[in-house]
Amino acid sequence: MANTQLFQSLKGKFLPPANAVNAAGAAAYAMSPRHRLAQYAATGCLNATFYTSAETQLETVWELCQDIDTCFIAQTAVYCRERGYMKDMPALLTAILAAKGAPELTRTFKRVIDNGKMLRNFVQILRSGAIGRKSLGTRPKKLVQAWLNQASEKELLAAAVGNAPSLADVVKMVHPKPVEAWRESFFAWLIGKAYDAEVLPPLLKALQAYKADRTQALPNVPFQMLTALELTDVAWAQIARQAGWQMLRMNLNTFARHGVYALPGMTAIVAEKLRDAEAIARARVFPYQLMAAYGAANEEVPVEIIEALQDAMEIALNNVPEITGKVVVCPDVSGSMQSPATGYRGSATSAIRCIDIAALMAAAMLRKNPASVVLPFEVDVVACKLNPRDSVMTNASKLAAIRGGGTNCSAPLARLNKDKTKADLVIFVSDNESWVDATRRGATATMREWETFKQRNPNARLVCIDITPYGTTQAAEREDILNIGGFSDDVFQIVADFAAGQLSAAQWVGEIQSISI
């Protein structure tokens, strides 16, 4: 008779041994340079996270780009801007292309630098010296000039809000030579030089008129250009009517403070704007931004507005797919997940934590796949009763309220194995910094437990969604294991395609490589 103990102990020897150490100091698997860059690009915000500093992230991305061809760098920049809606990282990758003199720079610039904020980010990075130069260079300078000379008046006014550098600084750096009289006057006004008031563009002319005479109509300009003025509640109500979707979401408390909701009909107007499906799509909103607005709304914000935010969340998550088979979602609720999702940025630090995003993803999957099992984990699996019929916001709030300790990524799989659970897809949403279950040699505990799970569920697949970029994973890449990064809603479709067998484990990087530059 075979020695069962012997064969049980040998089973783990056929798994790939861990070949790296994660940020928490435990055994892990290293990703390929392309996969690491993809992870950083889709999740990195160039701010300090729980385990690493902003400087370390920047240095890592710069080093990775030295050994990766410029075509893939360009594809990654476009991917994380157009599908991940990131800001700092795509601007950085575009600046790296500029520093390298890459032939893909012009085409990438036109797709990534799609508004004034991105333009200022790009200029700031190049001028900082962080990527080896402090001047723009001839080609980048011409690209910036072209953006300034082609942007509409509305785009230029939006770009004029913000500093370090300001749009005026950028204009002084590159000296655009406009052919239209209105644009020449706009730039002169912007940098404090003499200008012809008669040929100012309409919105700027209206702003100047309103400053001189408050009986004039409120101009439809970025509200930051008006807040230094003494505005009435009626003027603030007009700002709310004119506001873009993101501006509206971010200033619900401000409108309450200025008496907007007390005016007849304004609560209904704001609520309808918030739940406008087309406006939500145009705003390219992160679902977690809605969660932030929901959590930040104070008692002065009417209930109708709060309900509209919940409606907006359901609309924003319309593309969360239904997945055939049984799904298990494992959100990490450990201590490191309490850190800000976009890193520590001093007074500008986001109120949204990594745990909020993990909870939101789990709640969204549960809403679309009501038979799903949700296993929040830290040192062990944590009990949390959820109702699939509750709103995504309600269930996400329950999960996010858990405050755990250490990270043990193998705990949910161990629970599934103990209960002999059958499932087709297991999804982890974590920072992958497991250390409670650290192994001294051989495979990680997560890989060992996954192998045991596969004995009962041979066709099952595992997806590890990394919320923060540290470049390692607890589950080695193979046909049945997919490691992806990011917290945009694009991730949901990639998960669904992988679960349906339409993507191989390597195809997250393949998705990026499929982008035409």
Side-chain angles (χ1 to χ4, degrees), residues 6 264 339 453:
L6 172 64
S339 61
F453 184 82

Side-chain angles (χ1 to χ4, degrees), residues 271 274-275 294 302-313:
L274 286 173
R275 61 166 65 97
Y294 180 84
V303 173
E304 296 96 311
I305 303 295
I306 303 300
E307 291 175 346
L309 286 172
Q310 290 185 307
D311 293 340
M313 175 68 83

